[in-house]
PDB file of all heavy atoms in Angstrom:
ATOM      1  N   SER A1035     -23.561  15.576   9.536  1.00 98.00           N
ATOM      2  CA  SER A1035     -22.511  15.426  10.559  1.00 98.00           C
ATOM      3  C   SER A1035     -21.142  15.749   9.980  1.00 98.00           C
ATOM      4  O   SER A1035     -20.389  16.564  10.542  1.00 98.00           O
ATOM      5  CB  SER A1035     -22.499  13.999  11.116  1.00 98.00           C
ATOM      6  OG  SER A1035     -23.723  13.682  11.704  1.00 98.00           O
ATOM      7  N   ASP A1055     -16.768  10.402   0.647  1.00 98.00           N
ATOM      8  CA  ASP A1055     -18.133   9.846   0.685  1.00 98.00           C
ATOM      9  C   ASP A1055     -18.353   8.985  -0.540  1.00 98.00           C
ATOM     10  O   ASP A1055     -17.991   9.373  -1.651  1.00 98.00           O
ATOM     11  CB  ASP A1055     -19.179  10.971   0.746  1.00 98.00           C
ATOM     12  CG  ASP A1055     -20.539  10.436   1.186  1.00 98.00           C
ATOM     13  OD1 ASP A1055     -21.008   9.441   0.586  1.00 98.00           O
ATOM     14  OD2 ASP A1055     -21.126  10.984   2.129  1.00 98.00           O
ATOM     15  N   MET A1056     -18.939   7.820  -0.333  1.00 97.00           N
ATOM     16  CA  MET A1056     -19.135   6.920  -1.469  1.00 97.00           C
ATOM     17  C   MET A1056     -20.314   7.336  -2.343  1.00 97.00           C
ATOM     18  O   MET A1056     -20.513   6.808  -3.430  1.00 97.00           O
ATOM     19  CB  MET A1056     -19.315   5.487  -0.980  1.00 97.00           C
ATOM     20  CG  MET A1056     -20.457   5.226  -0.073  1.00 97.00           C
ATOM     21  SD  MET A1056     -20.203   3.569   0.601  1.00 97.00           S
ATOM     22  CE  MET A1056     -21.703   3.321   1.485  1.00 97.00           C
ATOM     23  N   THR A1063     -27.875  10.969   3.974  1.00 97.00           N
ATOM     24  CA  THR A1063     -29.199  10.341   3.864  1.00 97.00           C
ATOM     25  C   THR A1063     -30.039  10.991   2.780  1.00 97.00           C
ATOM     26  O   THR A1063     -30.732  10.321   2.028  1.00 97.00           O
ATOM     27  CB  THR A1063     -29.945  10.519   5.214  1.00 97.00           C
ATOM     28  OG1 THR A1063     -29.350   9.634   6.159  1.00 97.00           O
ATOM     29  CG2 THR A1063     -31.412  10.237   5.115  1.00 97.00           C
ATOM     30  N   ASP A1075     -39.299  14.211   9.400  1.00 93.00           N
ATOM     31  CA  ASP A1075     -40.427  14.073  10.325  1.00 93.00           C
ATOM     32  C   ASP A1075     -40.210  14.894  11.591  1.00 93.00           C
ATOM     33  O   ASP A1075     -40.851  14.683  12.606  1.00 93.00           O
ATOM     34  CB  ASP A1075     -40.710  12.597  10.627  1.00 93.00           C
ATOM     35  CG  ASP A1075     -39.526  11.899  11.269  1.00 93.00           C
ATOM     36  OD1 ASP A1075     -38.552  12.583  11.641  1.00 93.00           O
ATOM     37  OD2 ASP A1075     -39.580  10.657  11.402  1.00 93.00           O
ATOM     38  N   TYR A1081     -34.786  20.677  12.320  1.00 95.00           N
ATOM     39  CA  TYR A1081     -33.985  19.758  11.517  1.00 95.00           C
ATOM     40  C   TYR A1081     -33.205  20.575  10.480  1.00 95.00           C
ATOM     41  O   TYR A1081     -33.449  20.508   9.275  1.00 95.00           O
ATOM     42  CB  TYR A1081     -34.872  18.689  10.859  1.00 95.00           C
ATOM     43  CG  TYR A1081     -34.057  17.523  10.331  1.00 95.00           C
ATOM     44  CD1 TYR A1081     -33.472  16.611  11.209  1.00 95.00           C
ATOM     45  CD2 TYR A1081     -33.834  17.353   8.982  1.00 95.00           C
ATOM     46  CE1 TYR A1081     -32.689  15.569  10.749  1.00 95.00           C
ATOM     47  CE2 TYR A1081     -33.053  16.305   8.508  1.00 95.00           C
ATOM     48  CZ  TYR A1081     -32.486  15.423   9.400  1.00 95.00           C
ATOM     49  OH  TYR A1081     -31.704  14.383   8.930  1.00 95.00           O
ATOM     50  N   VAL A1124     -14.712   4.176   1.747  1.00 98.00           N
ATOM     51  CA  VAL A1124     -13.636   3.790   2.669  1.00 98.00           C
ATOM     52  C   VAL A1124     -13.804   2.313   3.005  1.00 98.00           C
ATOM     53  O   VAL A1124     -14.873   1.879   3.453  1.00 98.00           O
ATOM     54  CB  VAL A1124     -13.672   4.671   3.939  1.00 98.00           C
ATOM     55  CG1 VAL A1124     -12.701   4.138   4.988  1.00 98.00           C
ATOM     56  CG2 VAL A1124     -13.345   6.119   3.590  1.00 98.00           C
ATOM     57  N   LEU A1403     -22.618  10.821  15.839  1.00 97.00           N
ATOM     58  CA  LEU A1403     -23.881  10.127  16.095  1.00 97.00           C
ATOM     59  C   LEU A1403     -23.636   8.685  16.519  1.00 97.00           C
ATOM     60  O   LEU A1403     -24.356   7.767  16.115  1.00 97.00           O
ATOM     61  CB  LEU A1403     -24.813  10.182  14.882  1.00 97.00           C
ATOM     62  CG  LEU A1403     -25.174  11.587  14.386  1.00 97.00           C
ATOM     63  CD1 LEU A1403     -26.142  11.490  13.211  1.00 97.00           C
ATOM     64  CD2 LEU A1403     -25.794  12.436  15.474  1.00 97.00           C
TER      65      LEU A1403
HETATM   66  C1  FAD B2065     -34.953   7.391   4.673  1.00 51.11           C
HETATM   67  C2  FAD B2065     -34.486   8.117   5.892  1.00 51.11           C
HETATM   68  C3  FAD B2065     -35.246   9.151   6.427  1.00 51.11           C
HETATM   69  C4  FAD B2065     -34.824   9.812   7.561  1.00 51.11           C
HETATM   70  N1  FAD B2065     -35.605  10.796   8.075  1.00 51.11           N
HETATM   71  C5  FAD B2065     -35.219  11.422   9.196  1.00 51.11           C
HETATM   72  C6  FAD B2065     -36.032  12.449   9.764  1.00 51.11           C
HETATM   73  O1  FAD B2065     -37.079  12.774   9.237  1.00 51.11           O
HETATM   74  N2  FAD B2065     -35.619  13.033  10.914  1.00 51.11           N
HETATM   75  C7  FAD B2065     -34.440  12.660  11.520  1.00 51.11           C
HETATM   76  O2  FAD B2065     -34.107  13.202  12.561  1.00 51.11           O
HETATM   77  N3  FAD B2065     -33.646  11.721  10.990  1.00 51.11           N
HETATM   78  C8  FAD B2065     -34.009  11.088   9.858  1.00 51.11           C
HETATM   79  N4  FAD B2065     -33.218  10.111   9.333  1.00 51.11           N
HETATM   80  C9  FAD B2065     -31.928   9.834   9.959  1.00 51.11           C
HETATM   81  C10 FAD B2065     -30.826  10.593   9.190  1.00 51.11           C
HETATM   82  O3  FAD B2065     -29.955   9.642   8.686  1.00 51.11           O
HETATM   83  C11 FAD B2065     -30.121  11.562  10.094  1.00 51.11           C
HETATM   84  O4  FAD B2065     -31.067  12.508  10.527  1.00 51.11           O
HETATM   85  C12 FAD B2065     -28.951  12.320   9.434  1.00 51.11           C
HETATM   86  O5  FAD B2065     -28.966  12.308   8.046  1.00 51.11           O
HETATM   87  C13 FAD B2065     -27.636  11.740   9.894  1.00 51.11           C
HETATM   88  O6  FAD B2065     -26.619  12.527   9.359  1.00 51.11           O
HETATM   89  P1  FAD B2065     -25.145  11.984   9.208  1.00 51.11           P
HETATM   90  O7  FAD B2065     -24.399  13.009   8.487  1.00 51.11           O
HETATM   91  O8  FAD B2065     -24.645  11.550  10.531  1.00 51.11           O
HETATM   92  O9  FAD B2065     -25.266  10.645   8.360  1.00 51.11           O
HETATM   93  P2  FAD B2065     -25.890  10.397   6.866  1.00 51.11           P
HETATM   94  O10 FAD B2065     -26.766  11.502   6.522  1.00 51.11           O
HETATM   95  O11 FAD B2065     -26.407   9.041   6.959  1.00 51.11           O
HETATM   96  O12 FAD B2065     -24.576  10.458   5.977  1.00 51.11           O
HETATM   97  C14 FAD B2065     -23.591   9.472   6.061  1.00 51.11           C
HETATM   98  C15 FAD B2065     -22.784   9.461   4.783  1.00 51.11           C
HETATM   99  O13 FAD B2065     -21.690   8.557   4.960  1.00 51.11           O
HETATM  100  C16 FAD B2065     -21.451   7.909   3.733  1.00 51.11           C
HETATM  101  N5  FAD B2065     -20.748   6.651   4.000  1.00 51.11           N
HETATM  102  C17 FAD B2065     -21.146   5.633   4.814  1.00 51.11           C
HETATM  103  N6  FAD B2065     -20.221   4.650   4.819  1.00 51.11           N
HETATM  104  C18 FAD B2065     -19.216   5.057   3.999  1.00 51.11           C
HETATM  105  C19 FAD B2065     -17.981   4.479   3.591  1.00 51.11           C
HETATM  106  N7  FAD B2065     -17.577   3.290   4.041  1.00 51.11           N
HETATM  107  N8  FAD B2065     -17.205   5.165   2.725  1.00 51.11           N
HETATM  108  C20 FAD B2065     -17.588   6.382   2.260  1.00 51.11           C
HETATM  109  N9  FAD B2065     -18.743   6.965   2.606  1.00 51.11           N
HETATM  110  C21 FAD B2065     -19.557   6.322   3.474  1.00 51.11           C
HETATM  111  C22 FAD B2065     -22.817   7.712   3.128  1.00 51.11           C
HETATM  112  O14 FAD B2065     -22.750   7.608   1.718  1.00 51.11           O
HETATM  113  C23 FAD B2065     -23.541   8.982   3.567  1.00 51.11           C
HETATM  114  O15 FAD B2065     -23.511   9.957   2.564  1.00 51.11           O
HETATM  115  C24 FAD B2065     -33.609   9.437   8.187  1.00 51.11           C
HETATM  116  C25 FAD B2065     -32.844   8.396   7.650  1.00 51.11           C
HETATM  117  C26 FAD B2065     -33.272   7.744   6.507  1.00 51.11           C
HETATM  118  C27 FAD B2065     -32.433   6.639   5.938  1.00 51.11           C
END
Side-chain angles (χ1 to χ4, degrees):
S1035 300
D1055 196 309
M1056 60 192 187
T1063 287
D1075 60 9
Y1081 195 72
V1124 171
L1403 302 182

